Amino acid sequence: MKGISNMTIIVTGGAGFIGSNFIFHMLGTHPDYRIICLDKLTYAGNLSTLTPVMDNPIFRFIQADICDREAVYKLFEEEKPDIVVNFAAESHVDRSIENPEIFLQTNIIGTSVLMDACRKYGIARFHQVSTDEVYGDLPLDRPDLFFTEESPIRPSSPYSSSKASADLLVLAYHRTYGLPVTISRCSNNYGPYQFPEKLIPFTIMNALNDKPLLAFGEGLNVRDWLYVEDHCRAIDLIIHKGRDGEVYNVGGHNEMRNIDVVKMICRELAKPESLIAFVPDRKGHDLRYAIDATKIQEELGWMPEMKFEDGIKETVRWYLGNWGW
């Protein structure tokens, strides 16, 4: 699809954290594209995030549920999109442990409805935004091990199980119906506009209010951190140049223990580490995530640009400057 202009792209979940950043990226990078945001506006979707682009003539916002087949088909009929990028998902592990059903509904059924619409109305590419959590976890004492695209799928939580199920469904639609699809599996994102239930914004908010900074267990779980703009660049490359039917891992090369992330935020905000409070570990808590992103680097020339030390400074500055949000 390289070189195609005047395309129409539907971005589902575009009022959420990564989706909104992707919309900003695409409008800035491809000013001749039409961008349609479809979002249900659940608790994690914030319409004010999209205020800067609401009056842009090449942007349109539609409030609807991806599980609502009638609404989805109506939008496809009106807009005749070339590409669909599916960010829409329930994504909080703790919430999935408390109420798995909504995760199955949105993350699996919603994905199938979108792909059925793609089959009915024709599409150049359906891209599924997934997570490294579908691979399960890695042991803490084996820093030489990484997730590749060939790693087995063995999710630990209802959330990651629902994302793994969606991934398998996407690949099945490719094989059975010939639907042109790609999947990206990313490591933990951070950056502007992230809902404050996640570790980094949650810690920033609590630190600014001198509230306890909660860490599961002993805080030794390791995550690979990816700055959201680096992730958006990767998806942009995949939808334009990625091979149909392929999975691409997207990692930040920034492995950090959770406790060290919390301590880094304390230093940035000049807050005492005495605010850190350890709480009972999450059920089935994954130990370590680490992505091997060799495939996207070699095939598409993507590399993460933001170092975690710089990215966390940028993120803290953003929250300090956007307290009202």
Side-chain angles (χ1 to χ4, degrees), residues 54 82 117 166 185 208 216 220 259 289-290 298:
M54 276 298 195
D82 301 286
R185 293 175 180 152
L208 288 171
F216 283 122
L220 302 180
I259 188 63
Y289 302 146
E298 292 184 347

Side-chain angles (χ1 to χ4, degrees), residues 91-111:
S91 66
H92 195 247
V93 174
D94 293 329
R95 290 177 185 269
S96 81
I97 293 171
E98 295 299 322
N99 181 18
E101 185 175 351
I102 189 172
F103 286 74
L104 308 183
Q105 185 71 24
T106 297
N107 297 356
I108 303 173
I109 301 302
T111 301

